């Protein structure tokens, strides 16, 4: 399977704990995106990488959130001191990048529940 | 401030008939529009797209129409099949280096037997 993969698929944690999610994009894709989706909403952009460079962060991404893509391949999204409002589906997507090919291919997501 | 609006949270259509999903947008800078389909417990799957230089794009049973003057687009599915039951997201992006996609809230389509 050469699609986008995300791990874990589900994460339940207690408020105040730190969590880390991983995303493995499609191998030839140089762009990687993180989105968050809450109930009844569409995915909301959080941040994106062009290779290993993080080029934009949404205002939704508070200081408790940090994302990395150290070698331009997989990416991690860490949430420190989780809050109940962080409960959501966290989606990763990848794309080839420029040239009008805006299609982003999404992974299955990581569902976070903060108790 | 919702830049991409899907005003119908749900839609029920008889199998074999045409499904029409609507979407409005407010940002005149958007130049690329996409539709994604989402099943439960899966990520969104790209369905079809259209550039702002076109007013129609067709792919099999799926056709997207764009009316730039009205800032409106629609997705037509004909004939509708049971496997089309899913949530459909309208999305748009503006020119720039990030290709960031702005999604609507989605419309849940139910295909009735």
């Amino acid at each position: 399977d050469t699609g986008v993969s995300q791990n874990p698929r589900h994460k339940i944690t207690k408020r105040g704990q730190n969590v880390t999610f991983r995303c493995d994009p499609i191998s030839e894709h140089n762009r990687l995106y993180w989105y968050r989706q809450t109930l009844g909403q569409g995915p909301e952009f959080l941040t994106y990488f062009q290779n290993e460079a993080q080029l934009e962060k949404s205002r939704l991404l508070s200081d408790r959130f940090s994302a990395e893509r150290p070698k331009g391949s997989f990416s991690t999204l860490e949430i420190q001191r989780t809050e109940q409002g962080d409960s959501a589906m966290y989606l990763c997507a990848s794309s080839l990048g420029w040239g009008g090919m805006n299609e982003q291919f999404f992974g299955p997501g990581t569902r976070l529940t903060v108790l | 401030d919702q830049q991409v609006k899907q005003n119908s949270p749900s839609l029920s259509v008889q199998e074999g008939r045409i499904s029409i999903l609507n979407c409005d947008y407010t940002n005149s800078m958007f130049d690329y529009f996409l539709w994604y389909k989402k099943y439960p417990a899966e990520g969104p799957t790209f369905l079809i797209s259209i550039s702002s230089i076109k007013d129609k794009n067709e792919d099999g049973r799926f056709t997207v129409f764009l009316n730039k003057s009205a800032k409106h687009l629609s997705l037509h599915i004909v004939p509708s099949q049971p496997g089309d039951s899913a949530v459909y997201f309208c999305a748009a992006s503006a020119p720039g280096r990030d290709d960031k996609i702005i999604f609507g809230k989605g419309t849940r389509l139910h295909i009735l037997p």
Side-chain angles (χ1 to χ4, degrees), chain B residues 6-28:
Chain B
Q6 294 178 258
N7 293 320
S8 299
S10 67
L11 175 68
S12 295
V13 174
Q14 207 78 34
E15 182 180 354
R17 306 294 289 268
I18 183 170
S19 295
I20 300 176
L21 294 93
N22 292 303
C23 177
D24 297 294
Y25 62 95
T26 58
N27 188 342
S28 58

Side-chain angles (χ1 to χ4, degrees), chain A residues 9 31 33 35 37 40-43 45 48 50 55-56 89 91 97-98 100-109, chain B residues 2 31-32 34 36 38 41-46 49 89 93-94 96-106:
Chain A
R9 295 290 307 274
R31 291 196 170 185
Y33 302 78
Y35 291 84
Q37 184 179 13
Q41 302 292 320
F45 171 81
Y48 101 101
Q50 173 83 23
L55 297 186
E56 186 173 345
M89 175 74 83
L91 293 162
W98 285 80
M101 296 294 292
N102 296 46
E103 290 84 3
Q104 296 176 18
F105 296 85
F106 283 81
Chain B
Q2 278 277 320
D31 69 342
Y32 200 74
L34 310 93
Y36 281 82
K38 186 180 185 304
E42 295 183 11
T45 302
F46 170 74
S49 63
F89 291 103
S93 69
R97 60 178 191 156
D98 60 9
D99 292 341
K100 180 172 61 182
I101 292 178
I102 309 297
F103 285 84
K105 292 186 177 184

